[in-house]
Amino acid sequence: MRRTVLKSLAAMIAGAFLSLPAAHAQNKPVEVEFYYPVAVGGPITKIIDNMVSDFEKENAGIRIKPVYAGSYQDSIAKALTALKGGNPPQLAVLLSTDMFTLIDEDAIVPVDGLAKDEAGKQWLGGFYDAFMQNSRTGGHVWGVPFQRSTIVMYYNKTLFKEAGLDPEHPPATWQELVDFSKKLTKKDASGNVTQWGLEIPSGGSFAYWLFQALTTPNDAILMNEAGNQVMLDKPAVVEAAQFWRDLAAKHGVMPTGTIDWGTTPKDFLEKKAAIIWTTTGNLTNIRANASFPFGVAMMPKHKRGGSPTGGGNFYIFKSATPAQQEAALKFARWATSPERAAEWSIATGYVAVTPAAWQTDKMKKYAQEVPAAAVARDQLDVSVAEFSTHENQRVTKVLNDALQAALTGAKTPQQALTDAQRESDRILRSYK
């Protein structure tokens, strides 16, 4: 009898020890590697670290590991390199325009396939439609709007006053943009420009985006929703490129050649440019550093108003385990909840991505204190999808190169865009 009891006890102890690893495994938190493009200005890493910390306090079973991957271009390159090496992240914030590239690489899963319950459908239906235009294709939602923006016009109210212009009346049309910029351009006794009326950045990888702030008001759309066709040589597109070129070459209100994206806000803060076009994502930076009163306005109209949207989406990677995908989805839902979206917008200057976020007390207060923040939100009513296609980086480079050729005078706008259309058609042929 005693021997039987001892044997039973031994078996129980052995069973308990055997079950320990399984229990331990069940309690092990789900780890999610999260690629984030840190090169978007401001103390972003601290904000993201704090967000992750707050999320983990509320979700003890999940560990989010941010990897600060450099610029947007660096981040997509690193994500795809890691994918080919068999070790991709489970979650990433990448450009909304990277959607087709990520689909073509079979890197991501449709978010609507994970958020299938009623609450998930309501969540995905709660974003501004202008932001969803770069988040869906083929009947699926592939990206979740997070740090999104439009292009807006910043102008120095003091310089407006000095030029005899009403500081509460920014240029509302293309003609006013030219007329005001002429009054705001200053030269020294030798004829050298000391203050430009206007700067629209055109260097680097964002020329196509600023170009859409000219093509959209000229009632031209550059690509179809399927991402397999571009319309770069249409008369309204060529007319927009000609106007951009004329601002420097004919009207003399802007530097000739290309203008660097990164130095544009700096030139504004140093009063070297009275008006600049740049992302709403620069609002917090300009608010913190401007030594003068400034205004923010929508894109000047020609045939209509409008701007492209811009910025980054959350993407969930296909190679993640179901538990990791669920954890990544939970973080994306948490980060885009009304309170969090409001906090993110206030901290960074990006547009809060849902109408519900603008209804929170903190966002209402912020919009009252900083009316400039509401300009981009109101512009969403007339905003269009950012330029995005299959083979996106190749096609975008073709357009950027064409714009730079037009702006430097290496080609006429007509020739540059005719060449760009032909080359883009060749690249996209297999997707039709």
Side-chain angles (χ1 to χ4, degrees), residues 52 55 105 120 124 135 149 157 186 220 231 279 326 349 371 381:
V52 166
F55 173 78
E105 294 285 349
L124 288 176
S135 306
S149 57
K157 290 186 176 184
K186 289 183 183 174
M231 294 77 81
T279 171
E326 191 181 320
D381 290 342

Side-chain angles (χ1 to χ4, degrees), residues 142-356:
W142 296 86
V144 178
F146 175 53
Q147 56 182 46
R148 299 299 300 274
S149 57
T150 67
I151 299 165
V152 289
M153 179 165 55
Y154 297 81
Y155 65 99
N156 183 320
K157 290 186 176 184
T158 303
L159 298 182
F160 265 55
K161 265 188 191 170
E162 287 174 7
L165 296 166
D166 181 351
E168 303 309 320
H169 181 106
T173 65
W174 281 12
Q175 190 57 55
E176 282 189 348
L177 185 69
V178 172
D179 294 344
F180 289 18
S181 297
K182 281 181 178 176
K183 289 181 180 178
L184 291 160
T185 300
K186 289 183 183 174
K187 293 181 180 177
D188 62 18
S190 309
N192 298 313
V193 174
T194 56
Q195 175 186 297
W196 289 106
L198 172 67
E199 285 189 7
I200 301 173
S202 52
S205 56
F206 288 113
Y208 75 90
W209 195 47
L210 277 298
F211 185 47
Q212 281 188 277
L214 291 161
T215 55
T216 307
N218 209 31
D219 208 17
I221 298 295
L222 299 184
M223 78 287 170
N224 66 350
E225 193 181 303
N228 60 7
Q229 185 185 349
V230 297
M231 294 77 81
L232 305 181
D233 59 351
K234 299 285 185 242
V237 180
V238 175
E239 186 185 358
Q242 186 65 58
F243 177 71
W244 196 359
R245 164 85 176 140
D246 286 349
L247 288 168
K250 180 179 172 184
H251 304 301
V253 298
M254 201 167 75
T256 54
T258 57
I259 299 169
D260 186 64
W261 167 265
T263 60
T264 307
K266 188 168 172 281
D267 286 352
F268 184 66
L269 293 170
E270 292 175 0
K271 302 177 194 169
K272 292 177 185 172
I275 303 171
I276 62 164
W277 291 10
T278 188
T279 171
T280 48
N282 267 320
L283 177 60
T284 301
N285 168 38
I286 289 173
R287 274 186 71 217
N289 296 298
S291 60
F292 49 84
F294 68 91
V296 177
M298 296 188 198
M299 290 294 96
K301 295 177 182 177
H302 192 47
K303 294 172 186 167
R304 52 160 285 184
S307 162
T309 60
N313 281 348
F314 281 116
Y315 295 101
I316 298 173
F317 280 68
K318 195 172 190 174
S319 54
T321 66
Q324 287 173 322
Q325 288 179 352
E326 191 181 320
L329 179 72
K330 198 167 193 179
F331 181 68
R333 282 176 76 159
W334 180 89
T336 55
S337 63
E339 289 290 325
R340 293 291 167 180
E343 287 170 8
W344 177 254
S345 177
I346 293 164
T348 62
Y350 285 96
V351 185
V353 288
T354 63

Side-chain angles (χ1 to χ4, degrees), residues 12 36 112 134 228 289 337 404:
M12 281 169 65
Y36 182 81
D112 56 1
N134 277 109
N228 60 7
N289 296 298
S337 63
Q404 284 167 16

